[in-house]
Amino acid sequence: MKNKREDIINLYAKHVSPGKVETYRKYDITFVPGPREECILCDIDGRKFINCHCNGGVFNLGHRNQKVIRAVIGAMKVYDIGNHHLISKPKAECAALLASMMPKGLNQVVFGVSGGEAIDLAIKLARGVTGRSGIISAKGGYHGHTGFALATGDAKFKDKFGSMPPAFSQVAFDDIGAMEKAVTDDTAAVILETVPATMGIVVPEKTYFSRVKKICEDRGALLILDEVQTGFGRTGKMWGFENFKVLPDIVVLGKGMSGGIYPISATVYHERYADFFRKDPFVHISTYGGSEIGCFAAMETIKISKSAKLLSNVLKMGNYFKKEFARLSMRYPNLGLKVRGIGLMMGLEFKDEMTALFILKLLFDEGVYLVYSGNDPRVLQFLPPLIITMPVAKRIIAAAHTAFAKMG
Ligand SMILES: Cc1ncc(COP(=O)(O)O)c(C=O)c1O
C-alpha cells in the first residue's frame, strides 16, 4: 500500500505539480485523499481526517452526500451536459429555485462552472450596464484566478502575468471612509466577499455593507457580493449577506452549490439589469456553465441547505466551537488565540504565523485537516461540514486540546 501511495505521489509530481509535492513533503503533510464520507476524508493509506476546511465550503453537506449523489445519478439517466445555446428545463427550474431563495428582484441567473468565471461575468455585467470601467475590491480579498477575478486581487497573485485590465483598485476592507473616497462617477461596481476568507475570516462591522451600498447607490455604482464561500448556509443563514441587512445588486455563488459532486456556479443579478442580456443574449457564453447534470446537484443542494434543521445546526455547532476555542485560548494564553466568525465560518488567529503553522501541523497529526488564510497566515480557516454532529465536534476539540498542549 505504501509503495502504491509513493507511486501516486511521484506520478503527481512528475505530471501535475512537483512544487506542491515538494511543499507538502517539506512540512511532512503529504495527504493523498482516498475514501471519503460525510465529515471524514481518509488518506489512501487509511489514516482518517476530519475535514475542517471543506475546500472553502464545497463540502458543506459533507463528502459524498447521498441525496446529491442520487439526484446526479438520476439526472445522468436522462440528461447530459446539455447545450448552452438552447432552452433548458433543468436550467430554468434551477434558476427559479435560486431566485425563490433570494431577496425580491434578484431573480436573473447566469450559470457558470467555477467561482472565478461567475465573478468575471458579474464584473462584465456591471461594466456593461453602467458603461463605466472602475472596479473596487478589498485589499487582501480573493475572488479567483480567472481574468477579471484575478484583476481584483492582490499584486502577489498577478505580478507575474503582465498588464492587467485597467481601472481596478483596492481599498481596506471594513473601512467606510476609504470606500467613500474610492467610489467615483467612473465606478462600475464595488465587489466584496461577505466574509473575506483569504484575508483571514474577517467579519465586518454590522452596518458596513449597507453603508457601502448607499455610497454605490448615490454614485450610480453596483454592489457585487461574493458568496462563493458564505453561501448555502455556511453562516447559519442561507446567504451570508442576510446577516448584514443589505441588498446587493449582484450575488456570486460557487463552491457549495455543487454539493461537492458536480461543478456549477452562478451569478444572480437584479431584474432591473435584465435588458443587458435581452439585447445581446450571446454576449456571454460558457459551454459547460450550468450543465444540466450540475443543475440537479445544485437543486438538491439548495433543498437540503435551506432546511431549518441544517441552518440551526450551523448556529448550534458554531456557538459550541466558539465557546470551546475561547476556553482553550484561556487555558493556553501563550498561543495568543483569538476566535472569530459567523456560524461555521470561523477564523482561529494565533499570535504569529509560526505558531499557526505549527498548530496546523499538530492538528494534522491528530487527524484534523484545515488550512491557513493565504493573505494572513496567522489565521487558520475553520470550516467544518455544516452537517457536523456533536460527537465529531468533540473529537475536534479533543484534538485541538492535545495540539495546543504541545505548543502552549
Ligand atoms: C470567495 C471566493 N470567491 C471566488 C473564488 C473562486 O472560485 P473558483 O476557484 O471556483 O474559481 C474563491 C475560491 O477559493 C473564493 O474563495
Side-chain angles (χ1 to χ4, degrees), residues 92-113:
E93 289 175 354
C94 186
L97 183 59
L98 264 179
S100 75
M101 299 302 300
M102 286 282 166
K104 198 161 171 281
L106 274 167
N107 57 24
Q108 303 295 299
V109 181
V110 179
F111 291 105
V113 181

Side-chain angles (χ1 to χ4, degrees), residues 114-116 142-144 193 226 228-229 255:
S114 68
Y142 182 78
H143 300 287
E193 289 157 88
D226 178 341
V228 168
Q229 292 218 20
K255 291 200 190 267

Side-chain angles (χ1 to χ4, degrees), residues 128-329:
V129 298
T130 61
R132 303 168 173 190
S133 53
I135 301 292
I136 299 167
S137 57
K139 282 182 196 143
Y142 182 78
H143 300 287
H145 277 173
T146 50
F148 285 152
L150 180 66
T152 67
D154 284 7
K156 67 174 181 184
F157 293 117
K158 47 191 189 185
D159 271 358
K160 294 187 178 75
F161 305 113
S163 51
M164 287 283 132
F168 281 76
S169 59
Q170 291 183 309
V171 295
F173 185 67
D174 202 16
D175 179 342
I176 202 71
M179 191 62 81
E180 184 76 61
K181 282 195 203 118
V183 182
T184 69
D185 291 345
D186 189 41
T187 304
V190 170
I191 178 164
L192 298 166
E193 289 157 88
T194 311
V195 178
T198 308
M199 194 187 288
I201 317 283
V202 181
V203 182
E205 198 267 318
K206 268 271 177 226
T207 63
Y208 177 62
F209 289 117
S210 55
R211 293 168 78 190
V212 173
K213 174 74 192 285
K214 175 82 177 61
I215 295 170
C216 288
E217 260 172 8
D218 288 349
R219 295 172 203 176
L222 273 56
L223 175 61
I224 304 169
L225 285 185
D226 178 341
E227 288 266 335
V228 168
Q229 292 218 20
T230 43
F232 301 96
R234 176 54 59 189
T235 68
K237 296 196 187 281
M238 187 65 181
W239 313 120
F241 64 78
E242 292 174 62
N243 295 288
F244 296 95
K245 293 201 172 76
V246 60
L247 289 179
D249 299 292
I250 305 178
V251 178
V252 181
L253 307 172
K255 291 200 190 267
M257 187 172 173
S258 64
I261 299 296
Y262 206 98
I264 184 163
S265 64
T267 308
V268 183
Y269 65 97
H270 198 280
E271 61 190 4
R272 74 175 81 90
Y273 308 117
D275 260 1
F276 182 75
F277 288 113
R278 189 169 296 144
K279 283 185 194 139
D280 187 354
F282 298 101
V283 71
H284 176 85
I285 277 173
S286 169
T287 302
Y288 297 145
S291 72
E292 295 191 331
I293 290 165
C295 286
F296 282 90
M299 286 191 278
E300 191 61 36
T301 297
I302 295 166
K303 271 184 223 151
I304 303 169
S305 311
K306 71 179 190 181
S307 89
K309 197 169 156 220
L310 185 91
L311 294 174
S312 70
N313 190 55
V314 173
L315 293 177
K316 183 178 101 186
M317 301 313 290
N319 286 337
Y320 169 77
F321 282 119
K322 255 197 191 142
K323 207 177 78 216
E324 291 299 314
F325 281 125
R327 213 164 50 84
L328 288 177
S329 83

